[in-house]
Amino acid sequence: MMTLSGCPGDLDQRIELFCLHRLSADQAKKFEQHLAVCPACLYQVLDTDLFLESLISALRETHQEYPYN
């Protein structure tokens, strides 16, 4: 479902699934087409990607400091 602005109605969930590579190929392609014309959504995707990269990095550092083996 799209809002009047053309953005997906489930934007937060869509961004999360997109960034985690959990959308089907068709869904991802459609969302990428939307991102090409919607800087607000693109910014949110980039922000989410940065957050996920930071989280993964922090988890790796924590694991190296406190190995569970």
Side-chain angles (χ1 to χ4, degrees):
M1 175 176 72
M2 297 294 233
T3 63
L4 291 177
S5 65
C7 298
D10 60 346
L11 183 60
D12 290 337
Q13 182 180 18
R14 182 75 50 108
I15 288 173
E16 180 182 326
L17 294 173
F18 180 79
C19 290
L20 294 172
H21 306 282
R22 298 292 211 159
L23 293 177
S24 69
D26 185 52
Q27 290 172 322
K29 182 178 178 178
K30 287 179 184 175
F31 192 56
E32 288 169 352
Q33 291 170 342
H34 173 72
L35 294 175
V37 297
C38 185
C41 286
L42 178 59
Y43 176 78
Q44 289 184 46
V45 166
L46 295 174
D47 193 45
T48 301
D49 269 340
L50 182 60
F51 169 77
L52 290 172
E53 287 176 19
S54 297
L55 179 61
I56 290 168
S57 178
L59 289 171
R60 284 185 178 139
E61 287 177 23
T62 301
H63 182 71
Q64 288 175 357
E65 292 175 16
Y66 306 102
Y68 297 104
N69 295 334

